[in-house]
Amino acid sequence: MASPNGGEDFESSLLSFENLDRASPDLWPEQLPGVAEFAASYKNPITNSPPKWMAELESEDIEMLKELGSLTTANLMEKVKGLQNLAYQLGLEESREMTRGKFLNILERPKK
């Protein structure tokens, strides 16, 4: 018959006193490169300088980010579909121009 303290002995036998630190990149590789650096920079909101990624943005870029951030999910999806359609149309136009260039022999390398 099991002793009354048998449950506690069993639980204490399951404890592990290993120290699992994340110092080794071999044991704990960063799953998404750059996330640790971003998280470290985000933890210190007292800095007066903007983040590195914002330093190269112009006022038009910031306005675009604010506009996109204010869209609902449906409106954002509509915007993405519009961009996909525009990219498709540009691809078709580029294909036509490349074919035209091929027929006009303007893309041929000069012969030596």
Side-chain angles (χ1 to χ4, degrees):
M1 190 165 168
S3 68
N5 292 342
E8 290 177 21
D9 291 338
F10 177 69
E11 286 180 16
S12 64
S13 71
L14 295 177
L15 291 177
S16 172
F17 297 103
E18 285 184 85
N19 183 12
L20 299 176
D21 63 1
R22 293 188 175 261
S24 171
D26 294 332
L27 292 175
W28 304 97
E30 190 174 13
Q31 291 183 355
L32 298 173
V35 171
E37 180 182 317
F38 174 76
S41 69
Y42 194 73
K43 287 181 184 177
N44 190 3
I46 301 174
T47 60
N48 291 332
S49 62
K52 284 189 273 185
W53 62 269
M54 279 191 71
E56 298 176 8
L57 295 181
E58 297 176 2
S59 60
E60 293 174 6
D61 299 329
I62 294 171
E63 288 301 316
M64 177 65 76
L65 284 173
K66 288 179 182 176
E67 178 188 331
L68 292 173
S70 67
L71 295 176
T72 64
T73 304
N75 290 344
L76 188 58
M77 291 301 294
E78 187 176 321
K79 185 83 167 174
V80 168
K81 286 180 184 177
L83 289 172
Q84 288 175 333
N85 288 338
L86 179 61
Y88 179 76
Q89 292 299 325
L90 286 172
L92 289 177
E93 186 178 333
E94 181 182 18
S95 175
R96 281 192 297 265
E97 292 299 321
M98 291 299 286
T99 303
R100 183 175 174 217
K102 181 180 174 184
F103 288 133
L104 294 173
N105 292 325
I106 60 173
L107 300 175
E108 221 174 76
R109 292 184 181 182
K111 295 179 181 175
K112 293 181 182 180

